[in-house]
Amino acid sequence: MDARTPLLHDRQGLPVPIGSATVQDHPIFLRACHSPWSLINQSALTYIRAFIVAYLTAVGGMLIDFKLQRDDPHTNWRILWQFSSMSFLLMWLYHVTVFCWTFTHLYYPDIAADDRRWESILLRGMAPPVQTTHSRKRFYFSLFYTAVHVFTFMNTIIYWTVLVPQDHGHLPQSGSPSGHPVHDFFGDGWFKPFCIINQWGITTLIAMIEILGLNSIKRQVPVPSHIFGLMFLCAAYLGWAAFGKILTGHNAFFWMDPELVKYREVVAAYSAAFVSLGSGMFSFMYGLIGMRENLTKKESNGGPSGSGYTNRVPQAVPV
């Protein structure tokens, strides 16, 4: 049974592991296509994922327009190096990917490998990858899945706890002309508040809904590899932002400017905190997945005969 074989029996639950020692009893790509909750069947999940992709695509265009309208002496290309842009792009790519997998997994589970029609070639490209026992694809996607959501959490935390209090966000504070920041924030129409709330709020809500309700991906293993991978990606982003500073003259964060924070040691301290925050948000995400696993286990144990609805489908070869 490979990653393209559908698991659509009865209430669309994932099969039970063959052995208790199995870590990822099914390919992670299939787990991304199945909600852990019996109320969300495959058809409903496909529609939910389609809505999220459409919503993120529409909001993405609005965010680009919002950022380009902001008064800034630097080139418009600066947004390519902003952490908020990177985190949103990664989230959009993730949801496009898992929507394609969920759609083909449900409606086109068996695509002939020798069919050379363009429709079949397209569907094979949209289908979940085949995962073999020794494949590294599982880890690479797991790291991608983790980075997408960790970066989203980091983006929100940094904005509301660091940038806004330091008057480097988009909210009027000490410079509020009327002395009422909230009134000034919503006084310029709906577009600016809508973009800010989506970029630094709704995306985090979507991430939590994805983790808790839209996939059955288990807690990350091995944990050290994911932590070191995240630390590397965080450090790589800082390098990318520094490269952007050379090309555009724009600093992705105010604390990356030695002239603004006065000392290079401060820049180093902020950079170390940025990388450490990635590990902290990984712990938060790991806890969310663990909570979801415990809750769905209780739901499963409450099914008929106490055995859980997932027992009604065939077992698969562990990977």
Side-chain angles (χ1 to χ4, degrees), residues 11-42:
R11 294 166 66 183
Q12 285 80 38
L14 284 166
V16 174
I18 290 178
S20 59
T22 302
V23 177
Q24 288 285 359
D25 49 302
H26 293 286
I28 190 173
F29 315 112
L30 283 192
R31 288 194 165 275
C33 302
H34 286 264
S35 169
W37 302 99
S38 58
L39 293 177
I40 305 178
N41 59 30
Q42 287 301 103

Side-chain angles (χ1 to χ4, degrees), residues 53-271:
V53 169
Y55 184 82
L56 290 176
T57 302
V59 169
M62 299 172 71
L63 289 176
I64 293 174
D65 184 49
F66 168 68
K67 292 185 177 185
L68 294 181
Q69 288 181 6
R70 190 178 185 189
D71 293 333
D72 194 297
H74 303 99
T75 174
N76 289 334
W77 292 104
R78 70 186 185 280
I79 65 175
L80 295 178
W81 285 271
Q82 293 174 347
F83 188 66
S84 58
S85 300
M86 296 294 295
S87 63
F88 188 91
L89 176 61
L90 288 175
M91 170 169 276
W92 181 81
L93 289 173
Y94 169 82
H95 280 282
V96 169
T97 299
V98 293
F99 164 70
C100 291
W101 290 353
T102 305
F103 177 82
T104 54
H105 178 59
L106 174 62
Y107 295 107
Y108 301 95
D110 297 307
I111 308 171
D114 58 350
D115 191 339
R116 298 303 176 185
R117 292 177 299 174
W118 70 267
E119 299 96 330
S120 298
I121 295 175
L122 176 62
L123 289 171
R124 281 197 296 271
M126 294 172 58
V130 175
Q131 177 178 308
T132 59
T133 304
H134 302 290
S135 173
R136 297 290 293 173
K137 293 180 181 179
R138 186 203 67 80
F139 172 74
Y140 294 145
F141 177 72
S142 180
L143 183 60
F144 172 65
Y145 163 73
T146 303
V148 166
H149 296 87
V150 165
F151 279 16
T152 299
F153 296 145
M154 290 175 64
N155 181 51
T156 300
I157 291 293
I158 291 172
Y159 183 78
W160 293 108
T161 65
V162 179
L163 300 183
V164 170
Q166 295 292 330
D167 288 340
H168 289 280
H170 304 81
L171 302 181
Q173 291 193 359
S174 59
S176 175
S178 67
H180 299 283
V182 176
H183 178 270
D184 292 336
F185 175 60
F186 290 99
D188 295 330
W190 65 271
F191 185 71
K192 177 180 177 181
F194 178 84
C195 290
I196 292 174
I197 292 172
N198 272 276
Q199 177 75 88
W200 294 285
I202 299 299
T203 51
T204 295
L205 178 62
I206 292 175
M208 295 185 69
I209 292 174
E210 170 66 27
I211 293 171
L212 294 174
L214 300 186
N215 71 73
S216 300
I217 298 175
K218 293 185 176 183
R219 281 170 284 187
Q220 295 88 338
V221 289
V223 171
S225 297
H226 283 81
I227 293 178
F228 287 126
L230 279 174
M231 293 176 66
F232 171 79
L233 292 175
C234 289
Y237 169 75
L238 293 178
W240 173 252
F243 179 64
K245 163 66 175 178
I246 296 174
L247 294 181
T248 68
H250 172 75
N251 285 293
F253 293 113
F254 75 90
W255 45 263
M256 297 186 72
D257 186 356
E259 297 181 0
L260 188 60
V261 296
K262 306 301 182 183
Y263 302 102
R264 292 190 176 274
E265 291 80 2
V266 176
V267 176
Y270 269 111
S271 299

